[in-house]
Amino acid sequence: MKLTAIIYGSSTGNTENAAKKIAETLNEDNVSLFDISSFDLNELSKYSNLILGTSTWGVGDIQDDWESKISEFSKLDLKGKTVAFIWAWRPGKSA
């Protein structure tokens, strides 16, 4: 059975809500939901499918919890994995 991990970073809850909605929609026992702030990236080896979610700010800055972990991805072997990205974008307020 192929396992799916949905890993999100959310400052305001919008990306978390989107990730939860995707998990509910998939409605499968093989789907796990994780907050990137407390997720050990070495655990990715257990999963065949990855859905990575982040909010963006300003001119495309990624969510803070992702900022601290994104460089670790270059050290991981993701060969053979199916990866999807979700971005929850909220336009900034004009001055």
Side-chain angles (χ1 to χ4, degrees):
M1 173 187 298
K2 291 187 176 186
L3 300 176
T4 299
I6 301 173
I7 306 158
Y8 67 89
S10 188
S11 296
T12 63
N14 292 330
T15 306
E16 178 179 9
N17 290 338
K20 287 179 178 178
K21 191 64 163 176
I22 290 169
E24 290 171 13
T25 301
L26 293 174
N27 194 25
E28 296 178 16
D29 292 333
N30 60 340
V31 176
S32 300
L33 188 64
F34 302 101
D35 185 328
I36 189 66
S37 66
S38 58
F39 184 71
D40 179 359
L41 292 178
N42 292 315
E43 296 294 310
L44 289 178
S45 62
K46 297 177 183 177
Y47 298 91
S48 300
N49 305 307
L50 309 175
I51 301 173
L52 311 176
T54 183
S55 54
T56 61
W57 299 93
V59 292
D61 298 328
I62 62 172
Q63 193 268 343
D64 294 340
D65 297 321
W66 273 104
E67 185 75 38
S68 64
K69 296 214 177 183
I70 198 72
S71 63
E72 296 178 38
F73 268 86
S74 65
K75 301 172 191 169
L76 300 172
D77 181 10
L78 300 178
K79 290 179 186 167
K81 298 194 182 300
T82 300
V83 181
F85 297 95
I86 54 172
W87 283 272
W89 177 71
R90 184 176 178 183
K93 295 180 181 177
S94 58

